[in-house]
Every structure is written in C-alpha cells, then in structure tokens.
Amino acid sequence: MVKICCIGAGYVGGPTMAVIALKCPSVEVAVVDISVPRITAWNSDQLPIYEPGLDDVVKKCRGKNLFFSTEVEKHVAEADIVFVSVNTPTKTRGLGAGKAADLTYWESAARMIADVSKSNKIVVEKSTVPVKTAEAIEKILTHNSKGISFQILSNPEFLAEGTAIEDLFKPDRVLIGGRETPEGQKAIKALKDVYSQWVPEDRIITTNLWSAELSKLAANAFLAQRISSVNAMSALCEATGANVSQVAYAVGTDTRIGPKFLNASVGFGGSCFQKDILNLVYICECNGLPEVAEYWKQVIKINDYQKSRFVNRVVASMFNTVSGKKVAILGFAFKKDTGDTRETPAIDVCKGLLGDKGRLSIYDPQVTEDQIQRDLSMNKFDWDHPLHLQPMSPTTVKQVSVVWDAYEATKDAHAVCILTEWDEFKTLDYQRIYDNMQKPAFIFDGRNVVNGDKLREIGFIVYSIGKPLDAWLKDMPAVA
Ligand code: NAI
C-alpha cells in the first residue's frame, strides 16, 4: 500500500488529501500539522475550514485511509510520498522584506524530513514557492540524507477556495514538474499514478521543475491581472457613464478573451494573489528584469487603488465624513462560500472607514468575531503564519461590533457596504432594511450583487462599482 503524508493541514493540505484518499482507496493518507487545534478540528465534526462538499468527503474516508495527526515525524518516516503544503508567507524583515517568500516553514519541514527518513522518498512541493525552491530543498535533503535518496517534484495546487472540492474532483489540469533524469521521471510516474485514478491522462501535464514552479506564480498573476484590468475599467466607466457589466460582457464574448474573472469589485483578496505577485516581482528584480517587475507590480497597485477608491466614495458621499456614523459591513470573507479572510479587501475598507472614525457593524455568515477583530488589529503579512505563532490576544477594535444577522447590522446605520458576494445578500428584505436605517440611506455595493434600480425605488442612494453614478454621487467631491 502506497503511503502518503502531507505536512500542513490547511486550506490546501486538508481538502487535497481528503480527495486523494477518497479517489484512491488503496492509498493511505496522513495529514500532519504542528497546530494542535487545527488537527483536533479536522478530527471533529467542526472542520477547521468551511468548504462546500468537504464534510462529506472527510466523513467518507476519515479513520479508513485518511488520518489527521500531530505526530509529524512518525508519519513522515513511514511515507513513500511526502507532500509539503506549509505556509509560504511574504517576508516581513530582512532581505526582500515585503516581497520575497519566507521559506522558514518550508526549510524546517525539509530538514525534518531529512532527519527522520529511513527510506527513499518522493518529496512534493504543494505550497506555492519561488522558482528554484526545489533546488534549495534538494540541497537541504541531500546534504543531510545519510544515503537516502530523495526525488523532488513540484505539484502546485490550482484549487480555488469556495469550489475546492469541485476543482479537485475535476481539475482543469494537474501539473507535475520533476527532474529530467531517469529517477526524476520515475518519481513523476509514481505521482501521476495517484492522480490518474480519477483525472484523465490528458489533463496531467508534466514539465521540468522550474516550469511547474513558475507556472503557478504565472497563473495567479494572470488571474489577478484580469481582475485589476476590469477594476481599472470600472473607474473609467464611472467617469464616463459606461456600465462595467456591459463592457465586461461585450469584451468577454470574444473567445480569445473569454467571460470568466471579469467581474468588477472592490478588489481581489485571498491568501495567494498578492503574495504570489509580490514574489514574482521579487524574482524578476533578482533576475535583473526591472521592467517586468514593474509591469506586474501594477496589478497590485490597481487593487490597492480600487480599495481606497471605494473608501473615498463612501466617505465623500456621506458629506465627507463617517465620524461617529454607524456603517454596516455585509460580508467580510474574501469571497463567497469560504470563511477565509486572508487579505480580504474588507480589511482595508474597514480600516479606511475606521480611520475616518466610522462605527462599524459587521456581519458575515461564516466569519467569527474573533477572526474579524484579529484581522483588523494584525500587522500586514502576520496572518500567514501558523496559528500558534500569530498574536494571541490582540487589542480589540472598539468601534467595531460583529453581529450574526444582516438586519441587526443595518439597524440605525447610515450606510451599508457590501464587501462579499454572498448569495443571501441578493435576497435580503431591503425595504425592511431601509425602514430601519438613518436617512439619507446609502448602499455601497462593492460586489455588484444588488439591483441598484430597485433599491433606488425604495429610496436608497446607491453606488455600484463601475455603474453610472446617481446624481447625488456625481455632485460630491471628486474621488482620488
Ligand atoms: P494554511 O495556513 O491554511 O496551512 C498551512 C499549514 O501548515 C498550517 O496549518 C500550519 O500550522 C502548517 N505548518 C507550517 N509549518 C509546519 C511544519 N513545519 N510542520 C507541520 N505543519 C506546519 O495555508 P494554505 O492556504 O493551505 O496554503 C499552503 C500553501 O499552498 C501556500 O504556499 C499557499 O500559497 C499555497 N496555495 C494556497 C491556495 C489556497 O487557496 N489557500 C491555493 C493554492 C496554493
């Protein structure tokens, strides 16, 4: 029986390994982590992450061929294939701070693998890493190997949170990079044999190590670039009276462009896009390609611009101040169908409104008060470290309350900001919300989920990203 061990039981490690266990009953899968609460949660009825369909998959395999454990060394020692899916945060200090990937966790995982291994192993990079990480890992492993042979493969993960299980069941592609030596090719085949239990052969792409590593960074950069492109257009739409949804539709019907990822919004978030682009920028700079670095940097700059533009709209529309005013925030997760708040645009928007002394009442169906308070008081990039290394008792932000209902959040509010596209926000009773708000009542729709015309009929002043502006908004000061 092939034994797989995955180091890192997070958003990637957990779902990916659960699906491998489900699709490959003859493989034994152990997912290990240094975080005791995380592993406890994986072994309970309340899984540590919310992902549609995940509960089902875990229930079917847990205790049979899927195990979650904190006995990291034991499971690594027993495994034939070791996936490494640990955090790869942005460095906060030293060389490359604010851009380069911090490989502390990766390196410590690699050293541990070398220490405890007694048999040959395939080590698989599942985390997103800078190009040439495999080479560094190879050096760490071989210099400490005591005669054991390690083959390194790069197998970046392309799942999207919110649709992770669907994506894993039917991936657009599985990418496996390895050495072009006979041993490297043998390792690629061993991993291919796992995926080919459910993924059609033509969807499994094999490349050299560096192409696989770079493809992941490139894919995220391209995806984020589409969002920044449509968001940049949204600003121009507001200035000219064009409607960004109409423009995006017209553009997306071109088969060379395609319709996906063209929704204008308050900005992209999630643990990967910004981090991976920063990392790409750093790699370009290190390779003497400042023009290329500058090009990709713009994707992040436009994203930051979009978030601050949104805050400015809110404040400017409300007589240039939200000081002391209650503002309801609907949605805090970085997108619908996940409880993940890492790099969510809601953090920057809330901080912007708090900076203008607004009082915030936040509701998100999947995010806890503790998480929101933590996010609003944590330093940039601190979030991407194992739980036990994050600040434990941050100071709570007093002007923020977190409630468990959209009606409670909006009661007596001057304005509503929609920051996540949860389906339930489409069907709220907006008449009831309007009746219970201060007047004039504003809605700032950062995800274009509500029907602006209907809300205007009720009496709201509505701002929808990239849509023709209400007369009220046009008359307010220009937005930087
Ligand atoms: P995560 O933070 O949810 O999980 C990482 C886990 O690794 C944590 O539970 C942490 O405690 C554990 N860990 C860290 N060092 C360890 C060690 N030495 N031994 C054992 N466990 C250790 O992160 P997530 O989201 O799963 O991401 C992991 C990697 O996958 C990152 O490189 C990320 O860029 C990449 N990725 C993430 C995607 C996503 O949608 N979240 C999608 C594709 C790739």
Side-chain angles (χ1 to χ4, degrees), residues 228-239:
S228 279
S229 297
V230 76
N231 283 343
M233 284 300 159
S234 75
L236 189 56
C237 287
E238 288 167 31

Side-chain angles (χ1 to χ4, degrees), residues 6-15 32-35 38 42 49 72 84-89 104-106 108-110 112 126-129 156-161 216 220 271-272 275-276 334 340 342 383-388 390:
C6 176
I7 307 176
Y11 284 85
V12 169
V32 296
D33 204 293
I34 39 177
S35 162
R38 233 184 191 171
W42 278 111
I49 62 176
V72 180
V84 184
S85 183
V86 299
N87 324 57
T88 47
T104 313
Y105 305 112
W106 230 112
S108 89
M112 183 270 297
K126 197 49 142 171
S127 306
T128 306
V129 290
E157 186 48 59
F158 293 99
L159 67 79
E161 286 175 33
K216 174 63 191 175
N220 274 352
S271 64
C272 297
K275 165 170 80 87
D276 294 351
F334 85 94
D340 194 355
R342 296 178 292 178
W383 53 267
D384 201 4
H385 292 271
L387 281 180
H388 66 286
Q390 290 173 11

Side-chain angles (χ1 to χ4, degrees), residues 87-390:
N87 324 57
T88 47
T90 305
K91 276 183 88 170
T92 48
R93 52 181 73 182
L95 191 64
K99 276 184 274 191
D102 177 349
L103 292 178
T104 313
Y105 305 112
W106 230 112
E107 186 176 333
S108 89
R111 287 184 187 280
M112 183 270 297
I113 296 171
D115 270 359
V116 305
S117 292
K118 294 189 183 69
S119 56
N120 296 349
K121 296 200 190 313
I122 298 172
V123 177
V124 185
E125 286 178 348
K126 197 49 142 171
S127 306
T128 306
V129 290
V131 190
K132 298 274 172 180
T133 299
E135 199 162 78
I137 299 304
E138 216 166 43
K139 282 183 186 144
I140 293 172
L141 290 171
T142 45
H143 278 87
N144 297 283
S145 73
K146 301 163 277 184
I148 291 161
S149 134
F150 294 100
Q151 276 303 316
I152 321 287
L153 298 178
S154 165
N155 173 221
E157 186 48 59
F158 293 99
L159 67 79
E161 286 175 33
T163 53
I165 298 300
E166 241 173 84
D167 296 343
L168 288 164
F169 279 177
K170 282 190 175 175
D172 288 341
R173 78 307 210 182
V174 166
L175 179 58
I176 305 175
R179 286 274 181 204
E180 284 148 326
T181 57
E183 298 78 24
Q185 295 303 305
K186 205 171 143 207
I188 290 179
K189 182 172 179 310
L191 188 56
K192 208 171 162 184
D193 285 347
V194 172
Y195 284 109
S196 59
Q197 309 269 326
W198 81 98
V199 180
E201 193 90 356
D202 59 349
R203 294 205 172 194
I204 304 179
I205 305 171
T206 57
T207 64
N208 74 24
L209 274 171
W210 328 131
S211 300
E213 287 177 339
L214 184 55
S215 298
K216 174 63 191 175
L217 295 181
N220 274 352
F222 276 51
L223 288 169
Q225 182 199 38
R226 277 176 81 94
I227 299 178
S228 279
S229 297
V230 76
N231 283 343
M233 284 300 159
S234 75
L236 189 56
C237 287
E238 288 167 31
T240 56
N243 179 329
V244 75
S245 303
Q246 295 174 349
V247 173
Y249 181 75
V251 169
T253 47
D254 186 326
T255 49
R256 291 168 303 175
I257 297 173
K260 292 186 182 164
F261 255 64
L262 285 182
N263 289 329
S265 70
V266 60
F268 60 73
S271 64
C272 297
F273 283 175
Q274 173 163 301
K275 165 170 80 87
D276 294 351
I277 294 174
L278 287 171
N279 191 344
L280 186 66
V281 166
Y282 183 68
I283 295 169
C284 292
E285 286 171 352
C286 292
N287 281 283
L289 301 169
E291 289 83 359
V292 185
E294 214 35 56
Y295 175 76
W296 287 110
K297 225 187 258 176
Q298 284 301 322
V299 173
I300 294 176
K301 281 194 185 160
I302 287 288
N303 198 46
D304 289 339
Y305 165 74
Q306 190 75 347
K307 289 182 272 188
S308 62
R309 205 167 74 76
F310 186 86
V311 172
N312 292 351
R313 269 284 180 225
V314 175
V315 178
S317 309
M318 296 169 71
F319 315 101
N320 236 359
T321 178
V322 290
S323 179
K325 293 176 188 167
K326 176 172 173 181
V327 179
I329 304 291
L330 298 188
F332 198 83
F334 85 94
K335 64 164 159 173
K336 74 170 179 178
D337 292 338
T338 177
D340 194 355
T341 60
R342 296 178 292 178
E343 288 290 350
T344 173
I347 295 175
D348 285 340
V349 170
C350 288
K351 282 185 174 169
L353 296 173
L354 289 168
D356 209 84
K357 298 211 175 115
R359 287 189 297 120
L360 307 183
S361 182
I362 305 177
Y363 163 66
D364 186 291
Q366 284 298 333
V367 186
T368 61
E369 174 164 11
D370 181 52
Q371 186 62 51
I372 290 174
Q373 284 289 356
R374 204 192 280 245
D375 287 334
L376 291 177
S377 41
M378 214 180 310
N379 291 328
K380 203 166 169 58
F381 302 128
D382 275 358
W383 53 267
D384 201 4
H385 292 271
L387 281 180
H388 66 286
L389 298 178
Q390 290 173 11

Side-chain angles (χ1 to χ4, degrees), residues 410-448:
T410 51
K411 194 162 169 269
D412 292 322
H414 289 257
V416 178
C417 296
I418 301 176
L419 300 184
T420 313
E421 71 281 21
W422 286 104
D423 288 336
E424 66 178 75
F425 298 155
K426 291 182 188 156
T427 53
L428 291 171
D429 180 349
Y430 282 98
Q431 182 67 56
R432 176 177 160 197
I433 288 178
Y434 180 79
D435 292 343
N436 289 323
M437 282 176 68
Q438 305 279 342
K439 309 296 176 323
F442 297 85
I443 289 203
F444 300 93
D445 183 1
R447 298 285 182 171
N448 286 343

